[in-house]
Amino acid sequence: MLKIVGCTHTGRRELNEDSFLADDELGLAAVADGMGGYSSGEVASAIVVSTLWNDLKEGEKSLEESVANAHLEVKKGVLDGRGGAGMGSTVVAAKFDGSRFDVAWVGDSRAYIWDGHELRQISRDHSYIESLLSRGIISAEDAKTRNDRNLVTQALGAEALVELDIGTCEGDLYQGELLLLCSDGLNDELGGFEIARLLHDNAADGLESCCEKLVQASYDAGGKDNITVMLVSNDVAVPESGRVPETIVETHNLSGHSEYFPLGGQNDGAHITSSDSVTEEFSTTQVYAVKPKSQLDYDALDDHIGGGTPSWLIAVVCVLLLAGLLGLLVYLGIISF
């Protein structure tokens, strides 16, 4: 039998734009991280989780199809006046059939498997940093210190996206393992080793307590963003012979050892195509596909588009054009001083 629990915290923000969904009977868990500020982000994330639940309880759509539908519903919500222009949301969701699960995601909300000894990240972020990291342009150490690490390249409802890219993977949740879904408020503050240690130390206390302690630890570590954590357990034994190997993006064990698998590695089965064409020179159009989620991200955005025409030069040109127009009007006698 599956057990799904979740908890969320506003963090040190004024508004919680995260939403989550836990349905044991349906075997559905989802975390949506809204973007857009007041009357927008929280609306977008609520539309996402409600769309997933409505679609999947009817059984007519796959998880991936439902995520695609949520993208359309968020865009429709803007037109219907249910939220603000520019609102969007990331999502990570899991749908179970017995022990077998499908995971789908858009953006930088994540999925992990904890087996009691090792934490395995099984979703690959749709983010600017991940696009560089997965192609070997920057190192994992570089990624930790860059201030543009929260720029996402895909989000549900993003108007400027030409094509929505949905990451997917599948696997089996074995007895004694946990599936962890979270918004980036967790992993932005806690590294993989810290998450693994907290799971190791607190899983025996129950899923609810473990969720709360993960959220509290993230808040104590800074808590700059909303924090949402979900845990799923399965108490039914599954034969090892039928196990489906899931995507592995990065591993962390209790000794502190980590291993990262770039795109194209043997452990990477995620369907992500958006990273294929991304280079260090990120175009203005790509950056604005999704609004950044904090002032820190806006500062990083300025860095990326700083290679264009400087604002001071634009101002100078405008002044010169106005002066020229004024001179022409005087010359023609239309105005005089």
Side-chain angles (χ1 to χ4, degrees):
M1 176 180 291
L2 291 175
K3 182 176 182 181
I4 306 173
V5 303
C7 59
T8 188
H9 195 290
T10 305
R12 289 179 169 80
R13 294 197 168 188
E14 297 181 2
L15 175 71
N16 194 341
E17 297 179 85
D18 287 0
S19 297
F20 72 89
L21 168 65
D23 189 325
D24 295 351
E25 292 186 6
L26 192 56
L28 178 61
V31 172
D33 180 356
M35 295 171 284
Y38 284 96
S39 300
S40 294
E42 78 281 14
V43 175
S45 65
I47 290 173
V48 170
V49 297
S50 64
T51 300
L52 294 180
W53 188 74
N54 285 320
D55 282 354
L56 293 170
K57 74 177 180 178
E58 300 298 329
E60 296 179 356
K61 289 185 173 70
S62 68
L63 179 60
E64 186 174 0
E65 290 170 335
S66 184
V67 169
N69 189 37
H71 175 57
L72 300 178
E73 287 297 317
V74 174
K75 294 172 74 173
K76 182 181 176 183
V78 175
L79 298 176
D80 293 346
R82 285 181 283 162
M87 72 177 182
S89 179
T90 70
V91 70
V92 60
K95 178 67 172 69
F96 281 84
D97 181 7
S99 66
R100 183 68 48 83
F101 62 77
D102 291 307
V103 169
W105 68 92
V106 174
D108 59 357
S109 292
R110 288 185 179 177
Y112 297 89
I113 294 287
W114 167 249
D115 65 6
H117 306 282
E118 183 178 67
L119 183 70
R120 304 191 298 273
Q121 182 183 335
I122 60 173
S123 63
R124 190 180 297 277
D125 297 348
H126 290 111
S127 71
Y128 174 59
I129 286 297
E130 179 59 36
S131 68
L132 303 179
L133 183 62
S134 64
R135 297 173 64 229
I137 296 174
I138 63 172
S139 69
E141 290 304 312
D142 292 335
K144 294 176 184 177
T145 58
R146 292 178 61 127
N147 66 355
D148 52 6
R149 58 189 177 275
N150 290 330
L151 288 171
V152 293
T153 58
Q154 295 278 314
L156 302 180
E159 288 292 339
L161 290 178
V162 176
E163 182 179 356
L164 181 68
D165 197 5
I166 303 172
T168 62
C169 71
E170 62 178 349
D172 286 292
L173 188 66
Y174 273 50
Q175 191 174 32
E177 294 183 332
L178 297 176
L179 173 69
L180 166 65
L181 306 180
C182 64
S183 62
D184 66 336
L186 178 73
N187 54 269
D188 272 358
E189 302 294 352
L190 302 178
F193 169 73
E194 295 168 298
I195 296 173
R197 175 55 66 184
L198 284 162
L199 289 169
H200 176 268
D201 292 346
N202 298 291
D205 297 333
L207 297 189
E208 294 88 349
S209 176
C210 194
C211 261
E212 291 170 0
K213 288 177 180 176
L214 283 165
V215 169
Q216 186 63 51
S218 180
Y219 181 82
D220 292 342
K224 295 182 290 295
D225 200 355
N226 307 147
I227 310 158
T228 301
V229 175
M230 299 193 73
L231 290 172
V232 185
S233 66
N234 173 28
D235 63 3
V236 177
V238 182
E240 182 70 33
S241 59
R243 179 161 195 164
V244 173
E246 71 274 354
T247 298
I248 300 176
V249 176
E250 190 168 14
T251 62
H252 305 271
N253 62 34
L254 295 175
S255 68
H257 176 73
S258 299
E259 187 171 3
Y260 175 80
F261 301 94
L263 274 172
Q266 66 181 65
N267 288 289
D268 184 65
H271 168 60
I272 298 184
T273 58
S274 62
S275 298
D276 294 346
S277 61
V278 177
T279 66
E280 178 69 82
E281 296 300 322
F282 209 56
S283 76
T284 303
T285 301
Q286 288 171 312
V287 171
Y288 273 108
V290 179
K291 287 187 176 180
K293 296 188 286 184
S294 69
Q295 185 56 51
L296 177 65
D297 301 333
Y298 281 105
D299 294 340
L301 180 60
D302 288 340
D303 293 339
H304 285 299
I305 65 176
T309 306
S311 58
W312 64 266
L313 181 57
I314 295 174
V316 169
V317 171
C318 290
V319 170
L320 291 174
L321 288 173
L322 287 172
L325 177 61
L326 182 61
L328 178 62
L329 293 175
V330 171
Y331 175 76
L332 297 174
I334 298 174
I335 62 172
S336 61
F337 294 98

